[in-house]
Amino acid sequence: GAVSLGALPPLSLYVHLPWCLKKCPYCDFNSHEKSSHLDEPRYLDALFAELESALPQVWGRRVISVFIGGGTPSLFSPESIERLVAGVRARLPLEPGCEITLEANPGTFERERFRAYRAAGVTRLSVGVQSFDDHHLTAIGRVHDSLQARAAVQEASEAFDTFNIDLMYALPGQTLAQLQADLDTALAFAPPHLSIYHLTIEPNTAFAQSPPSLPDADLASDMLDMIASRTASSGLARYEVSAFARSGHRCMHNLNYWRFGDYLGIGAGAHGKLSFPDRVVRQVRWREPAMYMDKALGGQAMSNEHSIGGAELPFEFMLNALRLAEGFELSRFAERTGQPLTSIEPALARAEQRGLIARDASRVRPTTLGFDFLSDLQALFL
């Protein structure tokens, strides 16, 4: 089907810094173990060259959020992050109060480093703790220990008004009591935002080659029930299937993803989604850092681009929107996809009949059952 958009959605910027100290066995992201030397200046030069070549595609549009992800972006020095933020501001119009998030790992933590990132222009820090239990940290291949994790979160809480703790559950051999201990430790820091992800075995990872023994589905379900109960009693509202926040601290960048907004992705292997009046496109950058730098500096950072067909857009929209507790406004579906509501009405009816969604004249929301069986709910729109 044809695509005709009456208005363009909000625009975010994603910046990918692809290096890590060590590749985690569960990770299927485009990340690469750091060699002895990181050529930060050349990589930043490549990012700026790519950004300048992409400007005509987003000309005149203001950016509502910036997310610096990885990899482990906190491997980059505060001086480099300051240069990156300043370079973005010089090339793109940012909305006043634009959220600028940096991912950081405790394994790269040094005292005062997080404060230096704040001074560099970062407004929000996301700390990849995953667990506060040394045994589980070893089991999932993390390079930090529990003491480093506590120190990093403490520093983040002192340096930033808004910060996020990333945790994982259903870890190899994890019990309900051990998860409760992780939650107790995390919540003791009174985080404004908490992200909690179920460990899954992804193809082409070390865990896929040699799978560990994970909690069964019933235990994982009990863990999720505990997470929902403990976060709610601590004042954290579950606004997305894996995200919990206090009032005023939801992640605006991720919200734009889930609301099917646009995002320009720059950096090695970065993905992007951009809307135009007559089409919606997906873009991918060259994956290998060395090749990416060469290509970007030569004006060819993008490895491929394709339009999302009108028939595919409803599923892509629903894949994101149904992750949100607020669901979506019916008017937003047509606005973001250019497709009529009749294209999803049969699937909506089936979802409602199964108790997976609730809807009225203006909005569709996943029910508690829909959240628990999100993959089944999303599949109805495939």
Side-chain angles (χ1 to χ4, degrees):
V3 176
S4 178
L5 303 183
L8 300 183
L11 176 67
S12 295
L13 174 69
Y14 175 79
V15 184
H16 192 65
L17 307 185
W19 290 279
C20 288
L21 287 175
K22 178 187 174 186
K23 182 83 169 179
C24 294
Y26 58 82
C27 178
D28 67 339
F29 294 162
N30 181 37
S31 59
H32 304 264
E33 292 190 8
K34 181 180 81 74
S35 61
S36 57
H37 173 67
L38 261 186
D39 194 346
E40 297 179 21
R42 187 167 190 266
Y43 191 75
L44 293 180
D45 288 343
L47 289 175
F48 296 146
E50 178 188 358
L51 182 54
E52 289 173 4
S53 68
L55 288 180
Q57 301 176 80
V58 296
W59 203 255
R61 299 177 65 180
R62 300 178 74 87
V63 172
I64 65 166
S65 65
V66 178
F67 197 100
I68 306 168
T72 303
S74 52
L75 283 174
F76 275 57
S77 69
E79 293 77 18
S80 288
I81 298 302
E82 182 176 27
R83 184 186 168 209
L84 173 59
V85 172
V88 167
R89 287 188 177 279
R91 292 166 174 83
L92 283 172
L94 305 189
E95 285 284 358
C98 177
E99 174 190 270
I100 302 177
T101 300
L102 177 80
E103 288 187 328
N105 282 340
T108 60
F109 169 74
E110 300 169 3
R111 190 147 189 85
E112 304 299 327
R113 192 176 184 89
F114 291 171
R115 287 180 174 83
Y117 289 137
R118 176 67 181 266
V122 174
T123 66
R124 182 179 182 275
L125 201 72
S126 184
V127 187
V129 171
Q130 316 314 350
S131 176
F132 291 97
D133 183 296
D134 283 331
H135 172 75
H136 291 131
L137 288 170
T138 300
I140 60 174
R142 302 296 285 176
V143 298
H144 64 270
D145 60 26
S146 60
L147 288 177
Q148 289 173 307
R150 288 175 171 83
V153 174
Q154 181 63 40
E155 182 93 0
S157 70
E158 294 171 0
F160 287 87
D161 299 322
T162 295
F163 69 96
N164 171 61
I165 299 175
D166 255 352
L167 289 179
M168 300 178 80
Y169 74 98
L171 303 177
Q174 189 177 41
T175 66
L176 205 58
Q178 289 169 331
L179 173 61
Q180 181 171 342
D182 265 354
L183 282 172
D184 289 344
T185 302
L187 294 171
F189 290 101
H193 193 285
L194 190 62
S195 298
I196 310 180
Y197 301 100
H198 188 300
L199 174 63
T200 55
I201 306 300
E202 302 291 347
N204 302 315
T205 63
F207 272 176
Q209 300 298 317
S210 181
S213 178
L214 302 180
D216 62 26
D218 288 338
L219 178 53
S221 179
D222 291 341
M223 289 178 169
L224 185 56
D225 289 343
M226 175 193 287
I227 291 167
S229 173
R230 291 285 287 112
T231 50
S233 64
S234 298
L236 291 163
R238 188 184 188 187
Y239 71 99
E240 188 266 347
V241 68
S242 300
F244 307 77
R246 302 187 192 281
S247 178
H249 292 278
R250 297 192 299 177
C251 178
M252 298 311 298
H253 187 86
N254 286 343
L255 273 174
N256 195 36
Y257 288 157
W258 298 321
R259 291 170 174 165
F260 211 52
D262 279 357
Y263 52 100
L264 175 64
I266 64 172
H271 290 235
K273 168 194 168 278
L274 294 178
S275 299
F276 301 89
D278 60 345
R279 67 193 189 283
V280 179
V281 301
R282 292 280 186 197
Q283 300 175 332
V284 183
R285 273 58 186 178
W286 294 100
R287 182 180 178 86
E288 294 296 325
M291 176 180 285
Y292 165 76
M293 286 187 277
D294 289 341
K295 292 285 190 178
L297 290 168
Q300 296 179 325
M302 195 184 309
S303 66
N304 65 83
E305 175 184 273
H306 72 275
S307 294
I308 309 173
E312 302 168 77
L313 281 167
F315 173 68
E316 293 230 4
F317 178 93
M318 300 301 286
L319 191 66
N320 289 279
L322 292 172
R323 294 180 63 93
L324 288 171
E326 68 183 25
F328 64 95
E329 297 169 341
L330 292 173
S331 58
R332 179 172 287 148
F333 172 82
E335 179 185 295
R336 300 284 161 90
T337 67
Q339 306 301 304
L341 275 171
T342 52
S343 65
I344 57 170
E345 177 54 36
L348 287 174
R350 290 195 297 271
E352 187 175 29
Q353 184 179 25
R354 298 181 189 182
L356 299 175
I357 62 166
R359 58 174 170 165
D360 54 31
S362 62
R363 182 175 289 275
V364 174
R365 296 180 180 86
T367 61
T368 300
L369 184 66
F371 253 10
D372 288 344
F373 294 92
L374 182 60
S375 294
D376 294 330
L377 172 56
Q378 293 166 328
L380 294 175
F381 297 88
L382 182 62

